[in-house]
Amino acid sequence: MGRTVVIGGGAAGIAAARTLHDAGHDVSLVEAGNRLGGRAYSVPLTLATGHVTVDFGCGWLHSARRNPWVEIAEAARLTIDRSSPNWGIQWRDLGFPAPEQRAFGEAWDRWEQAARAALDGPDQPLSAFIAPDDPWRAMIDAISGYANGAPLDAVSLHDWIAYEDAAGEENWAVMEGYGTLVAGHARPLAVHLNTAVTRIDHRGQAIRLDTDAGTLTADRVIVTVSTPVLAAGEIVFDPPLPDKQDAAANLPLGLADKVFLAVDRPPWPAHQHLTGNPHAACTASHRLSPFGWPIVESFFGGACAEAMESEAAATAFAVDELVALLGSDWRTRLHPLAATDWGHAAHIRGSYSHARVGHAGARRTMAEPVDDRLFFAGEACSSHDFSTAHGAYATGVAAAHAVMTAGRSLA
């Protein structure tokens, strides 16, 4: 059967290691950081009214009716809220009156139809399907930032369509936190934190892994680290794997960050939404009172997130947008709680992957095993559920099954 080492303690690594563990395999999980979950990261916050847990990273059970984390959450007796996120509804139409909402919907439909009409041709950036001077170009660019972590001109048409055609409409949330769910799934595993792998020597019969905590050996290895880590050569492969490094470079992580604000006396019911400025490419998507809590979660994506010079600047931007919509007296009713900075997160350096134009096939290259001994998983390896924790989970499970198949063939 042999020993397997899984590198990376995010959703893919945990799924891979848990699948092997549950099948009776000898498996260890090594993680460079000091916690599990990767880009699934739940953090407790203290409010005047009590404590809440928010997700600094992924927070939505996307495509929820086929998302395997739903069943895992139910088994763990976590609370799933099936309420709509109301992304398409502007609370009280503030700053975005109904006629403008209809005009935007029509512009979106035109853009999407033009994109789909070009599918049989060469790959193009998503920006090719809307005129630079279209009055709704900025809003569509902002949504690309939320969905892809990158602006329209950086995102591959062929890659984006693969996701869109597979995605379901249901987006649910875990009250205790998606990060709590993901990290909790690793509970029975042998885990080594603060163990960064710097070199994988796969020349001999045994694979040697150099780490900052010593050398490990394995019969098979599953690599689930982020694409920036692979592209930068932070793990050296011996012999080298230039195709993997190139694929990782063509699947960069876009950026999405959040600001959390406490709210005095929120007038809205739970799960409301505001777009800060529907006429700007740099604007936040404001989630009002998730789970009925007196907080706002402001979400920045793509070039807008990159433009924020600091967490304090992002917080000020979010407050200014909300005050512009709600009124000047609101400045004293919004209180900063926390903000994220995924672009500088150690061992991750970004939020979720998109394919560069012309490189949608890099996902297939990323996922291919090497000599039936080195296997790769992670959201960037998914052909159609990339940028999600359920996509990461599926690739981790697939890599684990590939390991088991390889082990049986050698037995």
Side-chain angles (χ1 to χ4, degrees):
M1 188 180 296
R3 182 175 187 236
T4 302
V5 172
V6 178
I7 304 172
I14 290 170
R18 182 65 189 268
T19 301
L20 288 167
H21 170 274
D22 290 355
H25 283 244
D26 180 5
V27 58
S28 297
L29 177 65
V30 298
E31 162 57 40
N34 61 3
R35 63 173 179 83
L36 292 175
R39 286 165 272 172
Y41 182 25
S42 298
V43 177
L45 298 178
T46 300
L47 308 177
T49 54
H51 302 281
V52 299
T53 298
V54 301
D55 278 307
F56 274 25
C58 56
W60 294 103
L61 293 157
H62 293 302
S63 300
R65 294 195 186 279
R66 63 176 181 83
N67 187 323
W69 289 111
V70 170
E71 183 177 351
I72 297 168
E74 291 172 340
R77 299 186 181 279
L78 298 179
T79 310
I80 298 175
D81 192 311
R82 292 168 169 79
S83 304
S84 169
N86 289 317
W87 289 322
I89 300 174
Q90 186 84 342
W91 183 66
R92 291 186 176 173
D93 293 339
L94 294 179
F96 197 10
E100 289 193 355
Q101 293 179 44
R102 287 192 294 271
F104 167 71
E106 292 165 359
W108 178 279
D109 289 343
R110 289 193 302 272
W111 168 74
E112 183 172 1
Q113 289 168 13
R116 289 185 176 278
L119 271 178
D120 292 337
D123 199 11
Q124 299 182 65
L126 292 181
S127 56
F129 310 106
I130 185 167
D133 60 351
D134 189 293
W136 293 109
R137 161 96 178 229
M139 182 66 174
I140 295 175
D141 226 350
I143 293 173
S144 179
Y146 307 146
N148 303 305
L152 294 169
D153 60 8
V155 180
S156 154
L157 165 65
H158 291 166
D159 196 54
W160 175 76
I161 285 290
Y163 179 92
E164 287 296 304
D165 284 349
E169 295 295 323
E170 306 83 10
N171 299 282
W172 301 342
V174 184
M175 183 176 291
E176 296 84 357
Y178 211 150
T180 302
L181 167 62
V182 172
H185 197 52
R187 196 164 288 115
L189 301 176
V191 174
H192 305 276
L193 297 176
N194 301 304
T195 305
V197 175
T198 56
R199 185 181 190 88
I200 300 175
D201 183 344
H202 56 112
R203 293 173 299 175
Q205 183 172 354
I207 302 172
R208 294 172 57 86
L209 294 86
D210 294 340
T211 81
D212 51 9
T215 300
L216 304 174
T217 60
D219 297 287
R220 282 165 291 277
V221 172
I222 300 176
V223 180
T224 73
V225 301
S226 72
T227 54
V229 169
L230 289 176
E234 293 182 25
I235 297 178
V236 175
F237 292 89
D238 190 7
L241 300 177
D243 288 351
K244 294 292 185 188
Q245 196 167 359
D246 288 348
N250 286 311
L251 297 169
L253 295 192
L255 189 59
D257 276 315
K258 299 178 183 180
V259 165
F260 298 92
L261 306 167
V263 183
D264 291 343
R265 307 179 310 280
W268 46 70
H271 305 293
Q272 300 306 300
H273 176 263
L274 284 172
T275 294
N277 181 355
H279 302 290
C282 189
T283 187
S285 170
H286 301 280
R287 184 183 179 194
L288 310 180
S289 292
F291 311 110
W293 299 332
I295 67 171
V296 173
E297 177 186 297
S298 300
F299 187 69
F300 300 85
C304 185
E306 292 177 0
M308 298 298 157
E309 296 178 356
S310 65
E311 295 176 24
T315 299
F317 188 100
V319 170
D320 286 347
E321 281 207 326
L322 289 166
V323 169
L325 292 173
L326 298 167
S328 59
D329 60 315
W330 272 82
R331 194 167 293 278
T332 61
R333 295 172 63 179
L334 299 168
H335 309 285
L337 291 170
T340 68
D341 185 12
W342 283 102
H344 295 98
H347 317 298
I348 299 173
R349 300 205 306 278
S351 299
Y352 31 74
S353 69
H354 61 279
R356 297 190 192 279
V357 178
H359 294 282
R363 298 196 185 278
R364 183 174 58 253
T365 302
M366 259 321 315
E368 289 172 351
V370 175
D371 297 331
D372 278 339
R373 297 198 306 152
L374 296 181
F375 301 84
F376 294 80
E379 56 88 6
C381 295
S382 175
S383 62
H384 57 277
D385 283 329
F386 46 85
S387 77
T388 69
H390 66 273
Y393 178 93
T395 66
V397 171
H401 285 299
V403 163
M404 290 188 275
T405 299
R408 286 193 295 270
S409 68
L410 294 174

